[in-house]
Amino acid sequence: MTEIELSGLDGTNPLGYLAALGVLRTLNGMPGADASRMRWNTGNWRPAVSDHRVTSADQLVELLWSGLRRTAGPGAAEAAAAKRSFDEARTRVKQKRDEIKRRRLRRAERQVAIDAEVRHLKEEAERLRRLWRLQLAANAPDPAVSLGANLTAPDDEFRAFVTDAATTTTAAARAWADFCAAFGCEYGTNDPTKRMQATPLALINGSGHQDFLGSIAQLMVQCTADHIRSALLEPWTYPDEGYSLRLDPLEDRRYALMAQDPTGTGNKPRTMWGANRLAFEALPLFPCVAAIPRPKTLCVREDGDRIFFSWPLWMPPLTLDAVRSLLTLSEIIDDEADSSRQLRARGLLAVYRTERIRVGSGASRFFNLTPAMPVWC
């Protein structure tokens, strides 16, 4: 098979690395896939891809674009109306519970009142929730981004989102469920007002008018084949505005790091739409599992209040299944001397690491990644 170097993607940049994995996962999720492979070139840390369906870079871009292209449904207004009906029904449930509580009934009497007066309201709210979710999933560019604008949903909404994904999942079509596993976990209490615990790879949550799923939903419909080509095959010039996942360390725009006012006229933040679109497709390779105080995520290590993301670069051309297995190795996030020896024996060339840092406060609080450093290479 022809091997194509993706000269625009830098494996030492977390956005470039995740975009490369997004390429591999996208290729393997399309019809006709037959063990597409990827390796990393030692001279420049650029990925090289091989796939029997393509013999040129242009063919690769067109194939990827056919798998990434999405369109939004026409029923956005209907979905919004369904959401309002659900919210009103949920409010009626809460009001009725509060009203029963004010009666100061004995425990047994209170339960009888709840069964008689609240149950049918809950059933109606659940019916309206399902109608809203169906409308939202049908009209979103992809069901995976139909949870909302950010990974900040209450536990009960995230639980319902996961349930909806599970009911539609098959062995051949499991992308929605895989994204659910990557998005995070329930908080772990029975309090429906508690928020889900999001993956630490979600660096934006609505602060500063930056939305995680909202940005991806926009990229799904606005990103073009030219954006994909620029990200994969050309030097990054950051021509695009908005819809960034903040995975590129260059997007750390604090005053102390810039020669100009980062909020000044003509100095708006810029990004690479194609790279962000592809990076999102890599998230299912980093699932979360429930833990206290935060979910545990593959390739992520917590050290007190500090959070680090580490990733491996490898020598032999690997399939997606092999990469998925590689990312589970605990040695990738370890600092033990023996870890590097074990990873070298498996064909790894290097491990790079970045730290997630908090920037800003209040309504303008979000996260950045620091420039990556080699753990060993």
Side-chain angles (χ1 to χ4, degrees):
M1 289 188 290
T2 302
E3 192 173 66
I4 302 169
E5 181 179 277
L6 307 181
S7 56
L9 300 183
D10 180 358
T12 68
N13 181 326
L15 177 59
Y17 181 78
L18 291 173
L21 296 193
V23 168
L24 186 61
R25 184 175 169 276
T26 299
L27 290 174
N28 278 271
M30 299 175 64
D34 183 22
S36 307
R37 288 175 167 80
M38 177 179 289
R39 69 176 181 86
W40 296 89
N41 290 324
T42 56
N44 56 12
W45 298 130
R46 263 52 180 180
V49 175
S50 54
D51 187 289
H52 73 96
R53 294 165 291 184
V54 299
T55 58
S56 69
D58 286 340
Q59 286 183 331
L60 175 63
V61 170
E62 290 303 319
L63 181 62
L64 286 168
W65 175 233
S66 67
L68 293 170
R69 184 170 49 221
R70 302 286 191 276
T71 57
E78 289 82 352
K83 177 63 162 61
R84 287 193 296 271
S85 296
F86 166 56
D87 287 341
E88 290 167 0
R90 190 164 53 174
T91 298
R92 287 193 291 271
V93 171
K94 182 179 184 304
Q95 289 174 340
K96 177 56 68 174
R97 283 186 175 276
D98 291 343
E99 190 269 326
I100 292 175
K101 185 177 181 180
R102 288 194 294 270
R103 297 178 197 172
R104 299 185 179 277
L105 301 172
R106 294 182 178 179
R107 185 172 185 178
E109 295 173 333
R110 183 170 67 249
Q111 188 59 50
V112 169
I114 290 175
D115 290 342
E117 302 175 44
V118 176
R119 178 174 297 176
H120 72 283
L121 294 177
K122 290 182 63 178
E123 291 174 350
E124 176 64 5
E126 176 60 18
R127 185 186 70 82
L128 292 172
R129 184 202 67 78
R130 289 195 169 275
L131 287 176
W132 163 58
R133 293 291 318 160
L134 289 172
Q135 287 275 4
L136 193 59
N139 290 285
D142 189 280
V145 297
S146 65
L147 178 61
N150 291 286
L151 299 181
T152 55
D155 264 358
D156 57 345
E157 288 187 20
F158 182 63
R159 188 182 304 115
F161 178 74
V162 174
T163 300
D164 291 344
T167 58
T168 64
T169 294
T170 65
R174 50 173 297 156
W176 186 4
D178 288 341
F179 274 110
C180 288
F183 285 165
C185 302
E186 298 167 75
Y187 186 81
T189 72
N190 292 322
D191 185 349
T193 65
K194 291 292 186 181
R195 284 185 176 183
M196 62 178 289
Q197 291 281 319
T199 170
L201 297 179
L203 304 180
I204 53 179
N205 58 12
S207 298
H209 306 290
Q210 299 181 68
D211 298 318
F212 184 77
L213 295 178
S215 293
I216 289 299
Q218 290 295 326
L219 286 175
M220 284 180 170
V221 297
Q222 296 195 37
C223 198
T224 67
D226 287 339
H227 290 109
I228 302 300
R229 180 179 291 104
S230 297
L232 297 183
L233 304 173
E234 301 172 6
W236 287 9
T237 58
Y238 299 89
D240 306 315
E241 186 176 317
Y243 310 134
S244 166
L245 302 184
R246 304 190 68 86
L247 292 166
D248 191 331
L250 286 180
E251 295 184 61
D252 186 359
R253 292 169 50 83
R254 286 172 289 172
Y255 281 88
L257 302 178
M258 301 188 66
Q260 305 177 49
D261 180 355
T263 63
T265 303
N267 194 26
K268 293 183 178 180
R270 298 284 179 169
T271 189
M272 297 291 295
W273 279 6
N276 283 274
R277 175 69 183 91
L278 285 163
F280 177 74
E281 295 298 320
L283 284 186
L285 299 176
F286 302 91
C288 302
V289 295
I292 298 297
R294 287 182 291 270
K296 299 296 184 182
T297 305
L298 281 188
C299 296
V300 173
R301 189 188 77 187
E302 296 188 25
D303 185 1
D305 292 332
R306 304 176 70 184
I307 298 177
F308 300 91
F309 172 52
S310 304
W311 62 91
L313 304 173
W314 56 88
M315 181 185 304
L318 297 182
T319 64
L320 180 66
D321 286 340
V323 172
R324 197 189 309 273
S325 177
L326 178 65
L327 295 174
T328 67
L329 297 176
S330 61
E331 290 86 356
I332 291 173
I333 62 174
D334 287 342
D335 289 330
E336 299 295 331
D338 191 52
S339 295
S340 62
R341 289 192 292 270
Q342 294 184 40
L343 293 175
R344 287 182 193 275
R346 295 176 182 265
L348 267 68
L349 299 169
V351 169
Y352 275 78
R353 180 172 296 164
T354 182
E355 182 178 357
R356 191 181 85 155
I357 57 174
R358 184 176 309 207
V359 177
S361 61
S364 298
R365 187 186 69 177
F366 42 83
F367 297 96
N368 281 115
L369 296 179
T370 61
M373 298 294 292
V375 179
W376 60 267
C377 60

